[in-house]
Amino acid sequence: MSATAAISVRGLEKSYKGSRQARSPVLKGVDFEVARGSIFALLGSNGAGKTTAVRILSTLLKPDAGTALVEGASVVEEAQRVREAISLTGQFAAVDEILTGRENLVLVAKLRHLPSPGDIADGLLERFDLVEAGGRKVATYSGGMRRRLDIAMSLIGSPSVIFLDEPTTGLDPEARLEVWKVVKELTEQGTTVLLTTQYLEEAEQLADRIAILHGGTIIANGTLAELKALLPPAKVEYVEKQPSLEEIFLSLTGSTKQGDHS
């Protein structure tokens, strides 16, 4: 495993018990690494195992086999060290609608026993362009504002690695662009981001590297340019047409359509 990687995964396996106690494999030997300060997208259809991988990496679930290190610490044997280095944001914003945006931030800072929780809250409100909305109840926020607040809350305590599990699910296009802007800014400030998504355009716009998870294994892993090179050269007619990430994904997974959205 690379010493420069923020996340290193080797041979990760996980199965769940079915209705007749039979084991149903979800991850069948997953390997990948995430460089520090980069955005890594784990791309896959519904049921591909993306959320299972994130739950293992964030110490919420134990693997059946394989190893996973986050900032050099084992997710199984050094779970507390991993938890101190990471933050996790799920598919739905974990914010309290009764409280104001600022009160949500102050509450989390106090729960983490950090000094000057008010200053921390004010700094994050400014960083995420929520100063004017900070005194309003979260119930009045748009979807994009809630998601920005949720990500801001996840950064309290300065985690070096953040897991974003399908962060733009259910958001309209404008709100999705807001979240994309925030994610890009995170890596500019040195945070490592592992992003799971089923939106091909999202991976194409954000990720430094993209891994396609299909059938429980990683079937492709590389930069967008490297993935495009897996398909035949572009046909040149009047203009050169490069393959889109959607075409790459469908070709590699053998699908005729993208599949369910989740």
Side-chain angles (χ1 to χ4, degrees):
M1 294 188 180
S2 172
T4 61
I7 302 170
S8 297
V9 175
R10 288 289 181 273
L12 207 60
E13 297 181 12
K14 184 64 183 178
S15 298
Y16 295 107
K17 288 183 179 180
S19 57
R20 298 182 179 180
Q21 302 303 308
R23 303 294 291 183
S24 176
V26 177
L27 301 178
K28 306 175 185 177
V30 170
D31 303 321
F32 64 84
E33 289 191 344
V34 181
R36 286 192 175 89
S38 69
I39 301 176
F40 184 91
L42 196 56
L43 181 63
S45 302
N46 180 35
K50 304 185 302 295
T51 296
T52 295
V54 167
R55 286 175 61 83
I56 290 172
L57 290 172
S58 56
T59 75
L60 297 177
L61 193 64
K62 288 188 176 181
D64 296 332
T67 58
L69 304 180
V70 177
E71 294 292 21
S74 166
V75 299
V76 175
E77 299 169 359
E78 302 170 282
Q80 184 57 39
R81 275 188 59 196
V82 172
R83 292 180 193 127
E84 291 171 356
I86 68 168
S87 188
L88 169 64
T89 297
Q91 297 180 24
F92 305 100
V95 294
D96 191 325
E97 295 188 349
I98 297 176
L99 301 178
T100 67
R102 187 176 189 277
E103 287 170 342
N104 269 277
L105 294 166
V106 168
L107 176 62
V108 173
K110 286 182 176 179
L111 290 173
R112 289 184 177 270
H113 305 291
L114 298 176
S116 305
D119 292 341
I120 292 172
D122 291 338
L124 287 167
L125 288 173
E126 183 174 358
R127 178 176 174 182
F128 286 87
D129 196 22
L130 290 169
V131 174
E132 293 184 5
R136 286 166 34 201
K137 288 188 176 182
V138 173
T140 68
Y141 283 20
S142 67
M145 292 168 67
R146 290 183 188 213
R147 177 54 76 190
R148 295 207 313 271
L149 177 63
D150 189 35
I151 295 175
M153 290 166 62
S154 73
L155 292 181
I156 293 176
S158 302
S160 58
V161 177
I162 182 169
F163 297 107
L164 300 178
D165 189 14
E166 304 202 30
T168 61
T169 296
L171 297 184
D172 59 43
E174 183 177 358
R176 187 169 295 146
L177 289 175
E178 290 180 25
V179 174
W180 289 0
K181 180 174 179 286
V182 168
V183 173
K184 289 177 181 177
E185 289 173 349
L186 290 180
T187 55
E188 288 173 0
Q189 299 185 26
T191 305
T192 302
V193 176
L194 189 152
L195 168 80
T196 73
T197 184
Q198 57 167 333
Y199 297 121
L200 303 175
E201 184 186 6
E202 186 159 271
E204 194 165 6
Q205 290 291 325
L206 290 178
D208 298 300
R209 293 187 69 86
I210 301 164
I212 297 177
L213 182 61
H214 181 70
T217 61
I218 300 292
I219 60 172
N221 183 348
T223 65
L224 182 59
E226 289 169 345
L227 295 183
K228 286 183 175 181
L230 296 175
L231 295 190
K235 293 181 180 179
V236 178
E237 295 174 351
Y238 293 105
V239 295
E240 182 178 300
K241 181 181 181 297
Q242 291 289 343
S244 67
L245 183 57
E246 181 173 10
E247 290 171 327
I248 297 167
F249 178 84
L250 297 180
S251 174
L252 291 171
T253 60
S255 304
T256 56
K257 59 181 180 179
Q258 182 179 339
D260 295 337
H261 295 280
S262 70

